[in-house]
Amino acid sequence: MIDHSAFGVDPWCLYEQHLDLSLMPHSESLFALSNGHVGWRGNLDEGEPHGLPGTYLNGVYEVRPLPYAEAAYGLPESGQSVINVTNGKLMRLLVEDEPFDVRYGKLHKHERCLDMRDGVLRRAVEWESPAGRRVKVRSTRMVSLTQRAIAAVLYEVEAVGEAARVVVQSELVANEELPAASDDPRAAGVLAEPLVGVSHGQMGSRVGLVHTVRKSGLRVAAVADHIVEGPENLLTQTESREDLGRFTAAVLLQPGEVLRVVKFVAYGWSAERSLPALRAQVEAALAAALQTSWEGLLADQRSCLDDYWSHADVEIDGDPDIQQAVRFGLFHIHQASARGEQRSIPAKGLTGNGYDGHAFWDTETFVLQVLTYTAPAAAADALRWRQRTLPLARDRAKQLRLQGAAFPWRTIAGEECSGYWPAGTAAFHINADIADAVIRYYLATGDHAFDREAGLELLVETARLWCSLGHFDGAGRFRIEGVTGPDEYSAIADNNVYTNLMAQRNLAAAADVAARHPELAAGLGVDPGETDHWRAAAKGMYIPYDEAIGVHPQADDFTKHAVWDFEATSADEYPLLLNFPYFDLYRKQVIKQADLVLALHLRGDAFDEEEKARNFSYYERLTVRDSSLSACSQSVMAAELGHLQLAYDYLGEAALMDLENLEHNTADGLHLASLAGSWIALVAGFGGMRHHDDRGVSFAPRLPPGWKRLAFRILVRGAVVRVETDPESAHYTLESGEDLEIRHYGTAITLSAGQTVSREIPEPPERPTPIQPRGRAPQPRGVHAMRDHTVHSAS
Amino acid sequence: MIDHSAFGVDPWCLYEQHLDLSLMPHSESLFALSNGHVGWRGNLDEGEPHGLPGTYLNGVYEVRPLPYAEAAYGLPESGQSVINVTNGKLMRLLVEDEPFDVRYGKLHKHERCLDMRDGVLRRAVEWESPAGRRVKVRSTRMVSLTQRAIAAVLYEVEAVGEAARVVVQSELVANEELPAASDDPRAAGVLAEPLVGVSHGQMGSRVGLVHTVRKSGLRVAAVADHIVEGPENLLTQTESREDLGRFTAAVLLQPGEVLRVVKFVAYGWSAERSLPALRAQVEAALAAALQTSWEGLLADQRSCLDDYWSHADVEIDGDPDIQQAVRFGLFHIHQASARGEQRSIPAKGLTGNGYDGHAFWDTETFVLQVLTYTAPAAAADALRWRQRTLPLARDRAKQLRLQGAAFPWRTIAGEECSGYWPAGTAAFHINADIADAVIRYYLATGDHAFDREAGLELLVETARLWCSLGHFDGAGRFRIEGVTGPDEYSAIADNNVYTNLMAQRNLAAAADVAARHPELAAGLGVDPGETDHWRAAAKGMYIPYDEAIGVHPQADDFTKHAVWDFEATSADEYPLLLNFPYFDLYRKQVIKQADLVLALHLRGDAFDEEEKARNFSYYERLTVRDSSLSACSQSVMAAELGHLQLAYDYLGEAALMDLENLEHNTADGLHLASLAGSWIALVAGFGGMRHHDDRGVSFAPRLPPGWKRLAFRILVRGAVVRVETDPESAHYTLESGEDLEIRHYGTAITLSAGQTVSREIPEPPERPTPIQPRGRAPQPRGVHAMRDHTVHSAS
């Protein structure tokens, strides 16, 4: 765990006030910039020292074989790994004859700030070389949210005290040396030298490199241009080689004089376009950026973020850490999704190579919850990516001898890349999760075009999958057997309640969407017999229930299994998956991450309140949270059931997952789902927001101890609803849009534009606080957990 | 499937009357010779053409990494693969200037005969070279059953019609080129050039090679000596290189003259002994063989086999194919086990590199059933091998966070080599299978020394495993969850009936043996508390039962699963594992091999007759027999339940598995368990032999339609019991030993030495014949299936 105080607490910025080399791998992820198309890790301008150099293009990957000790039918033979593409952020500095390297000389000042309103990473350094020459270095880095191919750096060097000969080398570097891969299965396979040079060149202040990725054959282009200002003695030159493009500016700076270099970098890639076409594309992007200018890009960036924050922001009075953390999360979610444009949103965005750069259900189940209500166009975009991969998902279903579409458990381009089928292919719930995101999106937006063009096909093909996966038993119950639910400490179980409930919704929604668009549905081969079958399967869906203890087993027989011996498990044996074999985890009652509890949230309409309370209490005793995909769901259900302190503690864990490196792997990239989880815990948890059906959005707000206020907005069917909660009452404002019916603790309220309706908040029910496994209770939050809130600023 | 008529039907020989190159990979396995220490595949003397050259030493393997697409705790990192060691059977022949190769010139005659009483492979060839020179070649090959390090060849060449200059090259060749490995996961990983030369030399007519195995570091020595007879113009020479030792005999033969070469080969290997010690060992073995002489070795071989057949033989009047097949099976079982001497008996013996040369439960559950009652010393030997590997099994249990010993699912030297844990490590029944073999051995022999020295420790450590694998539920039932039973089309299930019943016997027997040897048990840390726990677990063992349909589910909930769509499965989709993903097989009612039906046999004491009948009928509908480990168990239960024709059909499948290549992989080596299965189907099936407890052996004989007689002997507690059955009655003779109580259809009979007791056989019960999945009924046997029984002889 990182002491969060290494990073200053400010409502809109993430500050680093001094450089701690041991935190560098971690801060590189926190300070990553991205627009969903290009991703730059927060590496130092000069490249070294580094934890993991990282420049990513969404969709650019290398193919690697997936080996098996024992082969079997249907195992994917090759995987996809995100690769570190051409590094365009490098700005090397030579002061007299000393390269600027924070490990040498004296660092008088080193501050960094991720500005979440300006959308830039700022750095301010004052450095004294080993020979005693002193310079100030200021840089501002951005990955443009408005021009998706563009990233840019403003790099300024000032001589301090005495004159200094200064050389800045602005580089494009391909095939950077990467640190060796770790043994942790969660870390990525690192691929050495994946890029093969195709062409390189320079012209004026411009340099460019084109490569192909060795095995996947994707073609990647990067070009950089520069605008330099400085004293008249300035000399510039450019050069290029296969893996290097370099622009050099050399100058003698008098004390107080500044060398100012603006670097514009344009990226492009394609699997199909010709070399001239790809080169023209990046040159055009660069021209547009130069035409916009650095200042123009900055202004556009701010304006884009202002627009985002105007409806996505969440305000908290009472916990500055969480205030900062939720904005940090929303900022990174925006970065990951803003310009994905029908590419995936990987589990770690474009902030690191963890999980090989794969997208999982994290996107649909967690990230899209946030985007659907704050940036619906980005949610639609992500779902249209899934639709684009339907042909692959249909092929996979065929290979698995199933109907419809079987979406991959993990992938970059749509092919199944999971090399361990019990926790990959068997996790068929990914298909219901995608369907759920489609249903949620349509419910929230009423976007008929999407419904027709994408929703229908996605729901139909996933419903078909469930029909071939499940079967009716003699008693007319529809059973889905031998699948793996969200909890990865269980596998290949029968009638996982989460899966069955999500499949039930999937099947019913497919019948509904087919009824809305009968002709289009017929074009997909849907006939009334098929939709009847979907409705019958949904209606007959078997949901196991353990009468003896009044609890829903996570899957058939789960509650009959031995309970994990938590008393005998020491703190350093977590995460359990690194210390116990799967077979032992699978056969016992021990839960890695919310599974049934996630069903209590997402299918809350399928349980009554007492069932929820009993289930939540039962599963709290078993859940160890060895996954980042758990705390937020536990927070939501704790809040619903009135365990407000517990909900608060889980919120803290979800929100600070990356800021405090709670899973020790933030260095590989941020956990986007957990970042989304802080919004979910706030809005669905303390805001009590649910949206199960077309009866409208409902709220049941209730603040955690010590908070004075929580406010957020959601976008629903074109309307902007603002919800503000204080300890006594909730205030609902329709900021724009047509009259809208919402519910407050079950009571309908009709909102009209500009009007605020306030309602009292009922007392929470009294229930015994649930107990967690020994040592696995979340860190308590509250007044005693507060820290210094001084705001620092980077110069 | 191979048309068995390619091989002549003879009660004591397996004949091949002409050479069919397409059958060569298959016949190499059938004609393999072995003594359990050295194995020579039935390759042609001249080495080529071949299917798979094969020379094996029991325990000599190479280490290879086991790769995983996704790593996890506790997965074995390296495996062991049997390797093709120095080939000592090569006898190359040059006639004038043409190498003898059956693919060229004209083959006037080519006959081979595996003589199961003499224990040799004979070959008689008459060949005309492309240049028109004619020779007769006769060879006799043996792997000595009496001198374990020794194999030998008699090779004779005779000129026919006109004089011929003949050269015989007798070779030792290391690192032979092997055919490329296939994609079939059941085939072995082929390892290229595993041997590294250490030393080589020649002296007189003797050549020798010593190698180490590249990664495992085992040291292997082979030395050959020769005795030559021929006309006076004979010239001989020897030479050696790193991978070649060669003895050459060149001679001009007049028509009718014969060149006769006897080659003695001695093998040795060690992980520990020094190079001089190993060399001395093989030289000594060679000296002993030379002293014995070829004729002496032949006589010893015959005498050893006469002794074996005197109590192991099974006689059948009514089906010459089965008569031959059961002897073929018994011969190969004897070959695989005769001189194993505390090494494993691999699933394919030393007849091929299939399954990487690993030993599985096949040995204890199938092969040792036969050996225990026909060659008990060999059974004890195999179990002492397991005991020798106990330290590794204890380490594995620790790694898996379990108590006691966890024996490997597949191994050569004792380390777990399974690379797919759901069908490897999770198949914990291997431990109960080993225990069952221990219990059976003690029951059959009363061998107190073994009980003290090996049985106790094996039973105690396996009982400890079950205690840590299972748990008592609230109702006091002992449950064993998340394990895989024998059926490999199911995995990771709860309370597999077979596993639980076998564990129950294991636990009870451990308590019993500890009570027999309290002091020794105390030395293993056993106290009364522990044995009480074992008895309680055995007593409380949970055996699931589906009341609704009156059937035992193979494991919890099995009978609730969807039944496989057999109607939609075409013949070419079998074996299913090559055409369907595991997840689909696992979640449906489809059975690869007898699992519950095997429990009906081995734990027949745990079911009443009507339960057996209902269960058998139920599981017959689901069992596809994609494994060679199924037909014999189905035969046994069909016979017990009175389905005599069905039992007969299954017997045919078990007995002809290799002779007719029913699984299409006999080329990789014989299926020892299925070979054992023909004895099991005859003795336990049609003989109705059971031996569940110390109330003695029971019989319930009943012949299949058309048979006139079945006779076999078993060894029980030092006594030899002969059982002879005709259609009306059974005749029990105690050929030697003290008075013995047996049972005939439940009625006790006391036998005295030399006395024969005859009893009538009751009519079989009338039950509807069980039905198999579409297309999966066994091939019908009976009068119409009979073939030409002419006996041919190799000259």
Side-chain angles (χ1 to χ4, degrees), chain A residues 295-309:
Chain A
E295 289 71 23
L297 284 174
L298 272 187
D300 290 353
Q301 190 86 340
R302 173 75 192 207
S303 148
C304 169
L305 281 161
D306 282 348
D307 180 55
Y308 175 64
W309 290 119

Side-chain angles (χ1 to χ4, degrees), chain B residues 343-509:
Chain B
R343 295 281 160 197
S344 70
I345 302 176
K348 291 181 172 279
L350 299 177
T351 67
N353 64 5
Y355 298 120
D356 279 319
H358 291 166
F360 298 74
W361 70 307
D362 304 42
T363 306
E364 282 77 10
T365 300
F366 297 91
V367 177
L368 294 200
Q369 277 197 59
V370 184
L371 290 179
T372 299
Y373 293 98
T374 59
D381 230 27
L383 292 170
R384 286 190 193 266
W385 168 66
R386 289 290 190 187
Q387 186 192 20
R388 238 174 27 84
T389 68
L390 258 174
L392 295 168
R394 284 196 194 93
D395 289 349
R396 178 69 176 157
K398 270 201 200 76
Q399 187 188 23
L400 297 174
R401 320 286 302 223
L402 296 167
Q403 306 294 312
F407 282 100
W409 176 245
R410 53 190 299 171
T411 192
I412 292 177
E415 291 87 355
E416 177 63 86
C417 295
S418 169
Y420 176 60
W421 77 262
T425 294
F428 285 101
H429 67 82
I430 177 78
N431 297 285
D433 301 331
I434 293 168
D436 188 48
V438 169
I439 298 163
R440 184 196 304 123
Y441 175 78
Y442 181 66
L443 211 51
T445 63
D447 180 343
H448 296 294
F450 176 88
D451 194 44
R452 273 192 317 273
E453 294 160 16
L456 172 73
E457 197 177 7
L458 285 165
L459 290 171
V460 162
E461 294 293 30
T462 47
R464 285 175 170 161
L465 180 83
W466 294 115
C467 282
S468 64
L469 263 174
H471 70 109
F472 284 100
D473 65 13
R477 294 176 304 196
F478 193 77
R479 303 170 57 91
I480 300 173
E481 283 153 351
V483 303
T484 299
D487 167 32
E488 293 182 337
Y489 287 170
S490 302
I492 317 180
D494 297 342
N495 298 300
N496 172 262
V497 169
Y498 173 86
T499 304
N500 285 21
L501 284 174
M502 298 301 281
Q504 180 179 52
R505 170 178 284 166
N506 190 163
L507 287 158

Side-chain angles (χ1 to χ4, degrees), chain A residues 23-96:
Chain A
L23 295 186
M24 186 164 285
H26 170 236
S27 63
E28 286 169 356
S29 296
L30 301 182
F31 288 146
L33 295 175
S34 168
N35 60 13
H37 178 65
V38 178
W40 275 5
R41 272 173 73 81
N43 302 114
L44 299 179
D45 298 298
E46 57 277 15
E48 290 169 48
H50 58 232
L52 176 73
T55 301
Y56 309 109
L57 289 174
N58 194 345
V60 174
Y61 62 87
E62 182 54 307
V63 169
R64 61 183 178 89
L66 290 178
Y68 303 94
E70 297 186 22
Y73 177 90
L75 301 181
E77 286 167 16
S78 64
Q80 299 163 350
S81 288
V82 69
I83 55 165
N84 180 37
V85 298
T86 311
N87 186 353
K89 41 190 195 302
L90 279 169
M91 302 296 284
R92 303 193 200 270
L93 170 64
L94 199 92
V95 179
E96 294 295 329

Side-chain angles (χ1 to χ4, degrees), chain A residues 401 469 494 557 561 573, chain B residues 401 469 494 557 561 573 587:
Chain A
R401 319 288 301 227
L469 264 173
D494 296 342
D557 298 337
H561 292 174
E573 289 179 314
Chain B
R401 320 286 302 223
L469 263 174
D494 297 342
D557 298 337
H561 291 174
E573 289 178 314
R587 74 206 177 94

